[in-house]
Amino acid sequence: MTYDQYGSNEVLDLAEIDQPKVGPGEVRIRVTRAAVNPVDWKLMAGGLDVLMDSHFPVIPGWDVAGVVDAVGPDVPEFSAGDRVAAYARKQINQAGTFAEYVTVWADHVAHVPDSVSDDVAAALPLTGLTALRTLETLEVGTGDRLLIHAASGGVGYLATQMALARGAEVVGTASRANHEKLRELGAVPVAYGDELQATLTQLNPDGFDAVADFAGETLSVSQVVVRDGAALASIADPAYVQAGGSWVWVRPDGARLELLLSMVEDGALDVAIDRTFELDEVAQAFAYNQQGSGTGKILIRVAD
């Protein structure tokens, strides 16, 4: 699936292009599943052109699971036939994962355990690595009182589980329809709305120790409900930096992804999946993601 200019979902087109070459230090993956992230259609709209060059035609997609098809020179850690997954972001926006084949730097690739499905492996990379990086940035640990904005979303749902596993107490904002989902994890859900600030203050009169923002437009509330010296981090609002916090971007990292996949294998991390679209339905998948009403990751099935 490609687009040859910036635009909305209508610029997407199913096309035949040459199979990518596999160079030194690279792995070529025969794609079985890819996953949709909001960044995919934001890139397509030109929203990140100030940060990344795009070479048209562009194949969108950063998350992938599949089977190693070939390895380049100096890649002893992988062999043809290995089941793998990757956060396959590259410096130039061009050769993404919504395709039959994609090449990825070997150190960005992780082995997938036998008990983990391709669906779950494809759904995990960007959201899982982002959740992990955010908690590491905040230095969340035992006894910390953590506020997570959008705790039931793609990144927030994973961050909630990881924070609870680290011994933190988690309060998470979410729509009422997702409150039970958070309670089942052991978090305290809080509804959005005019009463949010008052509710958070009531829950933690002494203030939260840390805030993870996965929603955006939350800084004003966050600043009021934290204690002095609290750690703040956002993946959605760079204004958190001006407030003394961090704006988190995550790097591709095969070793950390392998750690997350092992947590899934051990039953310590649940990955929520909403629905699956076919490769020629990427426009519909983007439209569904843009609605913001999903209950988990959106997958693209390329092969079985």
Side-chain angles (χ1 to χ4, degrees):
M1 186 61 71
T2 67
Y3 56 90
D4 58 11
Q5 61 181 315
Y6 289 138
S8 58
N9 298 339
E10 289 73 21
V11 300
L12 287 163
D13 183 46
L14 193 64
E16 290 286 344
I17 63 174
D18 292 337
Q19 187 181 66
K21 299 174 183 177
V22 54
E26 289 187 323
V27 171
R28 187 169 65 204
I29 300 171
R30 180 178 63 81
V31 180
T32 58
R33 298 290 187 276
V36 173
N37 295 289
V39 71
D40 298 327
W41 43 266
K42 291 177 181 178
L43 275 165
M44 184 177 69
L48 297 182
D49 189 64
V50 296
L51 292 177
M52 298 182 69
D53 288 326
S54 292
H55 290 181
F56 299 107
V58 171
I59 301 170
W62 283 355
D63 280 342
V64 65
V67 178
V68 174
D69 167 71
V71 298
D74 194 28
V75 185
E77 61 268 48
F78 294 100
S79 300
D82 288 349
R83 294 182 62 233
V84 293
Y87 171 36
R89 190 192 78 201
K90 299 174 181 177
Q91 293 303 105
I92 294 173
N93 181 37
Q94 181 178 28
T97 62
F98 297 168
E100 293 177 302
Y101 294 89
V102 63
T103 55
V104 186
W105 290 112
D107 59 356
H108 296 174
V109 180
H111 290 94
V112 176
D114 291 341
S115 63
V116 177
S117 70
D118 285 3
D119 285 357
V120 170
L124 184 61
L126 177 53
T127 52
L129 289 169
T130 301
L132 180 60
R133 178 67 177 272
T134 302
L135 296 181
E136 290 173 343
T137 300
L138 293 171
E139 299 182 347
V140 171
T142 302
D144 285 337
R145 297 162 297 177
L146 172 65
L147 170 62
I148 297 181
H149 291 291
S152 67
V155 179
Y157 183 64
L158 298 174
T160 296
Q161 296 175 69
M162 294 180 201
L164 290 167
R166 288 168 173 243
E169 301 171 12
V170 177
V171 173
T173 64
S175 61
R176 293 189 184 278
N178 290 313
H179 281 197
E180 187 57 33
K181 177 180 175 181
L182 294 179
R183 288 193 190 97
E184 290 175 354
L185 296 179
V188 176
V190 177
Y192 302 116
D194 296 338
E195 301 301 317
L196 175 59
Q197 181 175 309
T199 302
L200 293 172
T201 301
Q202 184 177 15
L203 284 171
N204 258 321
D206 296 329
F208 288 89
D209 299 304
V211 176
D213 167 48
F214 304 128
E217 300 183 359
T218 64
L219 181 57
S220 59
V221 171
S222 296
Q223 288 178 303
V224 173
V225 300
V226 296
R227 64 167 178 80
D228 290 343
L232 308 172
S234 175
I235 69 168
D237 186 356
Y240 268 71
V241 175
Q242 283 71 53
S246 302
W247 185 29
V248 176
W249 279 71
V250 67
R251 300 173 186 169
D253 190 322
R256 274 186 166 82
L257 179 56
E258 208 152 293
L259 169 65
L260 295 174
L261 287 163
S262 70
M263 292 173 64
V264 175
E265 181 184 31
D266 294 341
L269 192 63
D270 176 63
V271 179
I273 295 172
D274 186 327
R275 63 182 63 185
T276 301
F277 293 82
E278 302 300 321
L279 182 59
D280 61 359
E281 297 175 327
V282 170
Q284 294 95 310
F286 280 6
Y288 182 69
N289 191 229
Q290 289 157 358
Q291 293 173 12
S293 58
T295 58
K297 291 293 293 185
I298 299 166
L299 300 180
I300 304 298
R301 177 169 41 225
V302 180
D304 289 314

